[in-house]
């Protein structure tokens, strides 16, 4: 019995998101048709720009790698039942931290500098979201709101630092930090134009998947997410686990910021705030918080993002078209959440239902 | 700069002027969010609604040359986005915060899509009421140019307070937000009440957006909202879900936003961005101080944030 217990559920988890993405493609086609563009032509262009050739697929991968990392910032705390949307802030802080360290020790050998930048990005991003987790547990501050507020604080800090203390006087129009020496930049994977950030992203997704699904640490975290009171009665260190998971989540987004700085931008300026964080939340939702699925969804969304330019050039649609498409996909995928369990085809006869999750409350509350 | 004549007095005056000018969008979105949250749902998507309102108001005002028609259409745009949000977030198992983020992306996408042709042209603005004619100082005069829309918002706050406290409908909404089971036992349709609250809240946010593009700052750009819609959620927590306190909180946040520019006008530029972030830091600090793991926040609707 136990051997074929899962397949219908797995089928459901694969079919519903795919159907949702197809439905949102149809809606997007209607939107394009109403805007006076040829929907089939638009689909073809998106496909060509995203996956049509090795050249364009490399573009897609370059955009996908930060998304893999930032999506983990939402996907990991979701295992605890926490909803963190501070990806953008942790991304920006990770980028700043990486640049600061990279510039401070630029005389060291390149490998050391790169390693130090990565560690700095990880630690800065980790502390940023770790603080959100600590506030959640010890002060019951709503994690969604506090992480959202911290996004704005992070962006303000970035603007402050690049226009003041860390500013390169030669950057006139767009205040920036001094550039990281070319030698210290992250290189490309041999034979491609894709930087090593992709490897970081894939490894991070694989590690978090293993950590959450195959270790006692992950099991403890998922227990908290499933039923926090039971977890507390079982003696799990809820506070430590909350802070640790949030730290890991933030460190992934921080690493993404480091990759963006050390492989793409070369310096920190306001371009760092390029919505990779918010797009990462989208990836995490579509992947239903599964880190492995997140890496695939990141490639898909990376492709969509990469096709923004071609829509503007070939179909004279404004660049916001991609934003509309992204929004549609997101809305339809969220709607599809309510469809789970509604189709008989996907119901196992003898499935043990998961108990309904209890909302995350730091300690039993009374009004 | 004329502010130089006033010297350091320009700073408090600048903050006061900024408060009167810049708090209206905060006021509208926070009142809208307050109404939504009283019914037990969160609408994080008001940022998208604000942008959509700003864009549609500007476009309609430009095309028809009637700014008040623009305000109306901005409200209608809010109703449309609110309906989408309400429909989705009231489905079982759908997380309202996630829908909010999706609505930010979708709303801003649609606003930028249709707003592109309106970035250049100049649309007629809402009229200003001159309350500063008694003063000889031009700065004071310009500080006291107040938009009627702001006054409407100021009037809505006590009205909504009264609505929640003293009317049957207000009671129903509070019941739905605090204890849906009790509400269901009273024979109320939770779906309908929440639908109406979310849509009306979104309407207010759309109107708030029209203030941005038709009065202050008074143009349509893609960066016009600057996160003010997202702030609504924090503001409502700050205001403890009380409409009157939403008004005070909006004035405070509008003032805090004006600190950076006011100091810049007297030559203090070094902490410009950090001063701009002060509302966010302030909200966070207040949440840290007032929240406690031992109890839920005073005034918070009972089912807020749960999937009830």
């Amino acid at each position: 019995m136990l051997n074929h217990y899962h397949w219908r559920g797995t089928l459901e988890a694969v079919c519903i998101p795919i159907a949702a993405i197809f439905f949102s493609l149809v809606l997007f086609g209607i939107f394009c048709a109403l805007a006076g563009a040829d929907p089939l032509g638009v689909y073809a262009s998106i496909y060509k720009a995203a996956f049509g050739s090795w050249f364009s697929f490399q573009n897609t991968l370059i955009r996908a790698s930060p998304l893999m990392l930032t999506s983990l910032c939402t996907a990991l705390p979701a295992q605890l039942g926490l909803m963190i949307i501070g990806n953008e802030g942790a991304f920006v802080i990770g980028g700043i931290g990486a640049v600061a360290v990279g510039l401070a020790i630029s005389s060291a050998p390149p490998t050391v500098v790169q390693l130090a930048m990565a560690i700095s990005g990880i630690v800065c991003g980790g502390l940023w979201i770790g603080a959100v987790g600590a506030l959640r547990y010890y002060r019951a501050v709503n994690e969604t709101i506090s992480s959202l507020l911290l996004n704005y604080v992070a962006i303000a800090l970035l603007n402050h630092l690049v226009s003041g203390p860390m500013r390169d006087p030669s950057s006139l129009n767009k205040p920036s930090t001094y550039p990281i020496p070319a030698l210290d930049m992250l290189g490309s994977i041999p034979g491609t134009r894709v930087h090593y950030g992709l490897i970081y992203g894939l490894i991070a997704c694989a590690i978090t998947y293993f950590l959450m699904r195959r270790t006692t640490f992950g099991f403890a975290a998922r227990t908290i997410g499933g039923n926090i009171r039971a977890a507390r009665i079982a003696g799990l260190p809820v506070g430590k686990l909350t802070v640790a998971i949030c730290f890991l989540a933030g460190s992934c987004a921080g690493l993404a910021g480091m990759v963006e700085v050390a492989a793409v931008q070369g310096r920190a300026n306001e371009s760092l705030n390029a919505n990779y964080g918010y797009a990462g939340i989208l990836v995490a939702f579509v992947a239903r918080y599964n880190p492995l699925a997140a890496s695939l969804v990141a490639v898909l969304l990376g492709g969509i993002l990469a096709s923004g330019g071609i829509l503007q050039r070939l179909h004279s649609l404004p660049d916001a078209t991609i934003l509309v498409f992204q929004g549609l996909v997101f809305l339809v995928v969220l709607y599809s959440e309510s469809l789970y369990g509604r189709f008989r085809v996907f119901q196992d006869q003898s499935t043990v239902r998961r108990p309904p999750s209890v909302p995350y409350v730091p300690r039993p509350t009374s009004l | 700069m004329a502010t130089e004549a006033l010297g350091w007095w320009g700073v408090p005056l600048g903050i006061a002027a900024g408060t009167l000018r810049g708090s209206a969008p905060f006021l509208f979105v926070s009142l809208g969010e307050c109404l939504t949250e009283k019914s037990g749902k969160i609408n994080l998507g008001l940022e998208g609604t604000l942008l959509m309102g700003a864009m549609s108001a500007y476009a309609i005002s430009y095309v028809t040359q009637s700014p008040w028609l623009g305000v109306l259409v901005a409200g209608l745009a809010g109703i449309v986005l609110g309906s989408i949000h309400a429909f989705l977030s009231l489905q079982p198992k759908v997380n309202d915060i996630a829908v909010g983020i999706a609505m930010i992306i979708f709303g801003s996408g649609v606003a930028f899509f249709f707003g592109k042709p309106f970035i250049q042209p100049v649309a007629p603005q809402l009229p200003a009421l001159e309350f500063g004619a008694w003063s000889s100082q031009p700065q004071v005069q310009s500080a006291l140019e107040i938009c009627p829309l702001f006054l409407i918002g100021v009037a809505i706050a006590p009205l909504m307070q009264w609505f929640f406290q003293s009317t049957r409908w207000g009671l129903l909404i509070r019941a739905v937000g605090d204890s849906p089971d009790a509400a269901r036992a009273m024979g109320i349709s939770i779906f309908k009440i929440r639908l109406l609250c979310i849509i009306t809240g979104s309407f207010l946010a759309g109107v708030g957006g029209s203030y941005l593009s038709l009065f202050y700052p008074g143009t349509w750009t893609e960066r016009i909202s600057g996160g003010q819609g997202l702030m609504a959620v924090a503001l409502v927590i700050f205001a403890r879900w009380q409409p009157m306190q939403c008004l005070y909180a909006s004035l405070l946040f509008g003032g805090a936003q004006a600190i950076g520019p006011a100091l810049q006008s007297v030559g203090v530029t070094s902490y410009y961005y950090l001063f701009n972030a002060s509302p966010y830091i302030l909200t966070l600090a207040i949440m840290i101080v007032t929240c406690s793991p031992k109890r839920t926040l005073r005034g918070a609707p009972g089912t807020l944030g749960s999937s009830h």
Side-chain angles (χ1 to χ4, degrees):
Chain A
M1 284 297 280
L2 280 173
N3 285 339
H4 49 95
Y5 151 60
H6 263 324
W7 71 270
R8 282 173 190 268
T10 314
L11 193 67
E12 183 180 41
V14 171
C15 284
I16 289 184
I18 289 177
I21 287 172
F22 267 101
F23 184 65
S24 48
L25 270 174
V26 172
L27 283 182
F28 179 61
I30 296 173
F31 181 84
C32 288
L34 291 178
D38 166 32
L40 294 178
V42 171
Y43 294 152
S45 306
I46 291 182
Y47 177 77
K48 221 190 300 170
F51 311 106
S53 64
W54 173 232
F55 181 85
S56 53
F57 189 57
Q58 293 187 62
N59 263 339
T60 297
L61 288 179
I62 290 175
R63 283 163 202 265
S65 42
L67 292 178
M68 290 178 192
L69 288 165
T70 51
S71 74
L72 294 175
C73 189
T74 302
L76 272 177
Q79 316 280 337
L80 289 168
L82 294 182
M83 172 89 186
I84 285 188
I85 55 176
N87 318 29
E88 193 80 31
F91 181 87
V92 165
I93 290 294
I96 299 174
V99 167
V101 169
L103 293 177
I105 59 162
S106 54
S107 50
T111 331
V112 176
V113 177
Q114 286 166 7
L115 199 67
M117 282 198 290
I119 291 174
S120 168
I122 286 173
V123 171
C124 292
L127 291 177
W128 198 252
I129 300 298
V132 172
L135 286 178
R136 178 65 177 122
Y137 181 72
Y138 296 104
R139 299 291 315 159
V141 176
N142 181 300
E143 75 286 354
T144 312
I145 310 292
S146 64
S147 59
L148 178 68
L149 291 172
L150 282 174
N151 283 345
Y152 288 94
V153 178
I155 292 165
L157 204 60
L158 170 76
N159 285 330
H160 173 68
L161 288 175
V162 300
S163 62
M166 288 171 74
R167 180 172 179 178
D168 174 4
S170 66
S171 61
L172 292 174
N173 293 326
K174 193 176 184 183
S176 309
T177 60
Y178 288 96
I180 297 169
L183 209 62
D184 296 337
M185 294 277 285
L186 276 187
S188 300
I189 302 168
T192 67
R193 294 184 297 119
V194 184
H195 53 71
Y196 274 103
L198 179 67
I199 307 279
Y200 289 4
L202 289 171
I203 291 179
C205 284
I207 290 180
T208 41
Y209 181 82
F210 180 78
L211 188 71
M212 298 315 289
R213 303 293 166 106
R214 294 280 181 272
T215 63
T216 42
F217 177 79
F219 180 72
R222 284 185 294 130
T223 309
I224 296 174
N227 187 333
I228 189 162
R229 275 164 224 165
R232 200 168 277 132
I233 292 165
L236 290 174
V238 177
K240 278 183 198 153
L241 276 167
T242 304
V243 176
I245 297 262
C246 288
F247 182 88
L248 282 179
S251 62
C252 290
L255 184 62
M258 173 268 172
V259 167
E260 184 68 12
V261 161
V264 182
Q265 308 274 355
R267 45 170 69 190
N269 55 34
E270 61 167 3
S271 317
L272 202 52
N273 169 23
N275 280 335
Y276 276 125
Y278 288 110
I281 305 173
L282 172 60
V283 172
F285 278 128
V286 177
R288 307 195 83 220
Y289 313 123
N290 179 329
L292 285 187
S295 59
L296 286 178
V297 176
V299 172
L300 209 63
L301 186 63
I304 294 176
L305 293 178
S307 57
I310 201 162
L311 290 187
Q312 214 169 351
R313 266 175 280 128
L314 281 185
H315 302 274
S316 61
L317 291 167
D319 46 0
T321 315
I322 285 303
L323 215 54
V324 174
F325 185 33
Q326 233 178 321
L328 278 174
V329 174
F330 204 164
L331 290 173
V332 175
V333 166
L334 282 168
Y335 176 73
S336 75
E337 288 279 299
S338 69
L339 298 178
Y340 285 87
R342 278 204 196 169
F343 300 107
R344 291 207 64 143
V345 195
F346 298 132
Q347 295 304 307
D348 292 309
Q349 302 323 302
S350 59
T351 316
V352 183
R353 287 284 173 81
R354 257 199 269 164
S357 63
V358 174
Y360 185 99
V361 200
R363 276 179 206 130
T365 54
S366 56
L367 278 169
Chain B
M1 283 292 284
T3 325
E4 281 159 19
L6 285 170
W8 278 90
W9 280 107
V11 177
L13 183 66
I15 294 174
T19 309
L20 290 176
R21 224 179 281 139
S23 39
F26 281 125
L27 181 59
F28 278 97
V29 288
S30 64
L31 288 175
E33 185 69 35
C34 184
L35 182 63
T36 307
E37 291 193 12
K38 275 280 187 190
S39 76
K41 283 280 164 189
I42 295 179
N43 188 352
L44 209 57
L46 290 186
E47 175 78 13
T49 314
L50 204 62
L51 279 165
M52 196 61 202
M55 187 282 292
S56 49
Y58 199 76
I60 293 296
S61 171
Y62 174 69
V63 172
T64 66
Q65 297 293 309
S66 159
W68 287 105
L69 201 63
V71 174
L72 188 71
V73 172
L76 291 178
I79 288 179
V80 172
L81 288 184
S83 311
I84 301 175
H85 181 92
F87 171 73
L88 288 173
S89 64
L90 291 173
Q91 297 297 321
K93 286 186 273 186
V94 177
N95 182 322
D96 47 357
I97 290 175
V99 176
I101 299 167
M103 288 303 294
I104 296 174
I105 296 176
F106 181 70
S108 53
V110 174
F112 299 164
F113 186 96
F114 292 107
K116 193 116 197 181
F118 298 103
I119 290 178
Q120 288 296 329
V122 177
Q125 299 286 303
L126 287 170
L129 301 174
E130 317 256 344
F131 286 104
W134 50 270
S135 170
S136 57
Q137 289 277 5
Q139 291 92 350
V140 177
Q141 283 174 6
S142 74
L144 288 174
E145 280 178 0
I146 291 171
C147 178
L149 202 56
F150 175 57
L151 298 178
I152 293 175
V154 171
I156 291 177
L159 210 65
M160 196 186 274
Q161 183 90 21
W162 168 80
F163 173 76
F164 282 134
Q165 269 172 3
S166 318
T167 66
R168 183 180 148 70
W169 275 85
L171 177 72
L172 295 187
I173 292 171
R174 283 189 293 142
V176 167
D178 275 331
S179 168
D181 291 331
R184 206 174 283 125
M186 286 163 73
I188 306 169
S189 163
I190 294 177
F191 182 85
K192 273 187 203 153
I193 296 265
R194 287 188 171 161
L195 189 79
L196 282 177
C197 285
I198 295 175
I199 291 177
T200 315
S202 217
F203 170 83
L204 287 175
V207 171
S210 72
Y211 182 94
L212 284 174
S213 63
L214 292 182
F215 191 78
Y216 180 77
T219 51
W220 159 245
T221 65
E222 298 192 348
R223 302 193 136 205
I224 195 166
S225 77
Q228 291 186 37
L230 287 168
M231 288 303 296
V233 181
L235 256 161
V236 172
I237 296 175
F238 188 84
R240 292 294 165 86
W241 294 271
Q242 297 294 326
M244 271 320 277
Q245 294 190 27
C246 281
L247 170 61
Y248 307 140
S250 305
L251 292 175
L252 186 68
F253 277 54
Q257 227 185 19
I259 295 175
L263 284 177
Q264 199 179 33
S265 69
V266 291
V268 180
T269 55
S270 41
Y271 293 99
Y272 179 76
Y273 291 105
L274 294 187
F275 278 118
N276 275 355
S278 55
Y280 310 105
I281 299 170
L282 189 68
T283 311
L284 194 62
I286 284 168
M287 282 175 71
I288 293 172
V289 173
T290 55
C291 289
S292 158
K294 303 224 166 48
R295 54 181 164 76
T296 51
L297 270 179
R298 198 160 44 80
T303 55
L304 202 63
S306 74
S307 53
H308 204 107

